[in-house]
Amino acid sequence: MADTIAETVDLLYTIDQERLTLDQQIALGSALAALAQAERLEQINERLRDIHQVLNGWALRVTVDGR
């Protein structure tokens, strides 16, 4: 997903904002904000995956060690 976000941001930044109508500028701003939120959510998701792996490792150790 991160590649898609980066590619979309790159595409949005190539738009000539001076040629946009006010409504289009507002829509572009909304799109950029939504992409920033998606990128942040992807970062949070990556951290949660890391935490999940650690917890699974601990659970496996407890199961194997019998503690």
Side-chain angles (χ1 to χ4, degrees), residues 19-63:
R19 294 179 176 245
L20 298 179
T21 67
L22 182 57
D23 288 341
Q24 290 170 327
Q25 290 176 0
I26 292 169
L28 178 61
S30 295
L32 290 170
L35 282 168
Q37 183 179 26
E39 186 174 36
R40 181 68 182 132
L41 290 173
E42 180 61 21
Q43 292 170 350
I44 291 168
N45 192 36
E46 287 175 21
R47 294 290 302 268
L48 288 174
R49 275 194 295 264
D50 292 343
I51 292 167
H52 183 258
Q53 288 178 344
V54 169
L55 292 175
N56 275 340
W58 289 352
L60 271 173
R61 262 190 259 146
V62 167
T63 303

